[in-house]
């Protein structure tokens, strides 16, 4: 454990978060302090960035601790099929909450107006219209 202390970037209860470079690739490892369980994410995965963001922002520490604990619990459990049915319902519900909502007609109009305005400004600049300053 002493050898890996320099890689520890956070501690949450009985878990540590480590950042290491192995074979030219950065990894985030979340593991039990005892070392008998871990999960690892490469720098090119979304989870790598999510975990780093939560470690750096104290507002997310409680969430991160609960997320890590739930990973550990699920990795050590053999739930019944009823649990998985309930879990998948909850997961699909969460995905629905996270989906972007369709823009309203007013939001669409405002976005189109903004794009039109930018286009007109660019056209004016490309035709040499630019901005004139009067001396005076």
């Amino acid at each position: 454990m002493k050898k890996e202390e320099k890689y520890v970037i956070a501690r949450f209860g009985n878990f540590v978060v480590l950042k290491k470079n192995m074979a030219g690739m950065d990894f985030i490892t979340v593991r039990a302090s005892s070392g008998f369980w871990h999960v690892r994410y490469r720098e090119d995965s979304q989870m790598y960035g999510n975990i780093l963001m939560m470690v750096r922002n104290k507002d997310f520490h409680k969430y991160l601790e609960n997320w890590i604990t739930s990973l550990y619990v699920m990795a050590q459990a053999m739930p019944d099929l009823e649990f998985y049915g309930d879990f998948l319902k909850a997961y699909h519900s969460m995905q629905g909450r996270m989906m972007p909502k369709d823009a309203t007609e007013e939001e669409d109009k405002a976005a189109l107006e903004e794009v039109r305005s930018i286009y007109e400004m660019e056209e004016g600049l490309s035709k040499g219209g630019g901005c004139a300053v009067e001396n005076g």
Side-chain angles (χ1 to χ4, degrees):
M1 177 73 170
K2 294 289 185 205
K3 185 173 138 183
E4 289 194 333
E5 279 299 313
K6 65 182 176 179
Y7 302 111
V8 173
I9 59 173
R11 292 182 186 282
F12 300 101
N14 291 322
F15 302 98
V16 292
V17 179
L18 302 101
K19 183 177 178 195
K20 271 181 146 175
N21 185 289
M22 297 180 283
M25 176 85 56
D26 282 344
F27 289 86
I28 291 290
T29 302
V30 178
R31 70 179 182 113
S33 297
S34 63
F36 69 88
W37 172 85
H38 76 270
V39 62
R40 181 176 295 146
Y41 300 96
R42 287 179 7 165
E43 67 183 324
D44 58 353
S45 76
Q46 182 177 349
M47 289 307 300
Y48 176 94
N50 290 345
I51 293 169
L52 272 183
M53 181 275 302
M54 288 187 281
V55 164
R56 292 176 180 149
N57 186 334
K58 290 187 186 307
D59 292 340
F60 288 98
H61 283 191
K62 193 64 178 169
Y63 176 89
L64 186 55
E65 181 177 1
N66 282 288
W67 177 76
I68 292 168
T69 302
S70 68
L71 284 181
Y72 174 78
V73 168
M74 288 302 295
Q76 305 301 317
M78 293 294 290
D80 60 16
L81 286 175
E82 184 179 347
F83 172 87
Y84 282 113
D86 293 342
F87 172 79
L88 290 174
K89 284 178 193 171
Y91 182 74
H92 288 299
S93 177
M94 179 192 70
Q95 285 183 315
R97 290 190 307 273
M98 297 175 89
M99 293 295 290
K101 305 293 183 234
D102 290 338
T104 66
E105 192 172 328
E106 293 81 24
E107 291 169 330
D108 278 344
K109 284 180 183 178
L112 288 172
E113 180 60 30
E114 185 176 341
V115 170
R116 186 189 63 74
S117 177
I118 291 170
Y119 177 77
E120 287 175 353
M121 284 189 260
E122 288 174 347
E123 282 290 304
L125 290 174
S126 68
K127 291 179 183 176
C131 178
V133 177
E134 288 186 31
N135 290 327

